[in-house]
Amino acid sequence: MPIHAILTDIEGTTSSISFVKDVLFPYARRALPGFVAARGREPAVRKWLDAVALENGGVCQDSVVVEVLQGWIDQDRKHTALKALQGMIWADGYKSADFTSHMYPDAAPALRQWKDQGQRLYVYSSGSVPAQRLLFGHSDAGDLTELFSGWFDTEVGGKRERDSYARIAESIGLPAGEILFLSDVVEELDAAREAGLATVLIDRLDDYPQPREGQATHGHTRAVSFAQVEV
């Protein structure tokens, strides 16, 4: 089938894994206590703090909730409440120009080219949709948000689950075979292929010094940059 939409991962795909691990996560970890103290009574924040407290036995002091969240950051836990709170903290960091998000040099030109060619572009990441918008809105390559037609996070389902990609295809409104998924994680690509999507493994040498070739690709087309992706 011809491809009419491209669904892309972020970390390790459009952007380096080190940016998330070495910049965003430590920033959120440091800022959490002050953020909760200053904004913990706001309904949008309280909702997620209470969700964490409930998951940890009910009534907890905010200081305990902060310690739990910091532990989850250290564990790289993909928890919706953590992702939502991190997104709010990162929003403050972006607005204060404390950092801009890393974008691989080949990513933005390819995304613009595909958009100009009539492809519909979408993002699917474990980070929350607000965090995704912030990352693409404050990137090294400028504001890229207008390139995208939609955004998906783990509220649609886990990234290694076939049904998540089936739901995304249904939401996009295209047959699964007309959607190309780009990711650096083979298990995510496996799940997408099971749902009928076309797939390309993005195997960036900066993130994966040991190339994944042969059986390690699980049969997915491999590219080391977006410039090698044929649509």
Side-chain angles (χ1 to χ4, degrees):
M1 288 186 181
I3 297 300
H4 290 126
I6 298 172
L7 177 69
T8 183
D9 173 47
I10 296 176
E11 186 179 348
T13 304
T14 63
S15 310
S16 70
I17 293 174
S18 63
F19 170 69
V20 177
K21 292 275 194 292
D22 299 338
V23 178
L24 290 185
F25 283 1
Y27 185 90
R29 196 185 196 288
R30 290 193 305 269
L32 257 171
F35 173 83
V36 171
R39 299 180 55 186
R41 294 185 180 181
E42 296 178 15
V45 176
R46 190 78 253 162
K47 165 188 174 182
W48 297 115
L49 296 177
D50 289 346
V52 176
L54 184 62
E55 189 169 319
N56 286 270
V59 178
C60 294
Q61 292 184 345
D62 281 352
S63 60
V64 175
V65 173
V66 166
E67 290 180 2
V68 170
L69 289 166
Q70 289 176 324
W72 287 355
I73 291 174
D74 296 340
Q75 299 163 18
D76 191 16
R77 184 170 176 187
K78 313 297 186 184
H79 193 287
T80 302
L82 173 61
K83 295 299 180 182
L85 292 166
Q86 282 178 322
M88 297 178 198
I89 291 170
W90 293 333
D92 293 341
Y94 282 120
K95 290 174 184 176
S96 301
D98 290 342
F99 48 80
T100 57
S101 60
H102 174 265
M103 194 68 49
Y104 276 111
D106 57 85
L111 291 168
R112 293 190 177 104
Q113 179 182 353
W114 295 333
K115 180 73 171 181
D116 291 343
Q117 292 173 346
Q119 297 291 339
R120 290 155 58 185
L121 306 181
Y122 299 85
V123 176
Y124 181 29
S125 174
S126 58
S128 68
V129 168
Q132 295 172 24
R133 289 181 176 274
L134 285 168
L135 187 146
F136 281 101
H138 298 82
S139 82
D140 297 341
D143 186 350
L144 304 177
T145 53
E146 292 185 355
L147 297 176
F148 296 96
S149 299
W151 314 78
F152 300 95
D153 58 22
T154 51
E155 288 195 9
V156 79
K159 296 191 70 184
R160 303 187 184 197
E161 299 172 8
R162 174 196 176 280
D163 289 349
S164 303
Y165 298 90
R167 294 186 193 102
I168 289 173
E170 182 179 3
S171 177
I172 290 174
L174 288 173
E178 296 182 10
I179 304 170
L180 173 63
F181 179 49
L182 310 176
S183 176
D184 65 310
V185 179
V186 173
E187 291 79 6
E188 295 176 3
L189 296 166
D190 291 345
R193 182 169 57 192
E194 288 178 14
L197 278 68
T199 58
V200 171
L201 171 65
I202 304 299
D203 195 30
R204 296 190 178 278
L205 299 181
D206 287 349
D207 289 319
Y208 297 91
Q210 183 64 42
R212 292 170 293 173
E213 298 174 319
Q215 293 183 351
T217 68
H218 287 200
H220 301 288
T221 300
R222 174 180 175 271
V224 300
S225 76
F226 276 20
Q228 290 186 342
V229 176
E230 296 183 4
V231 178

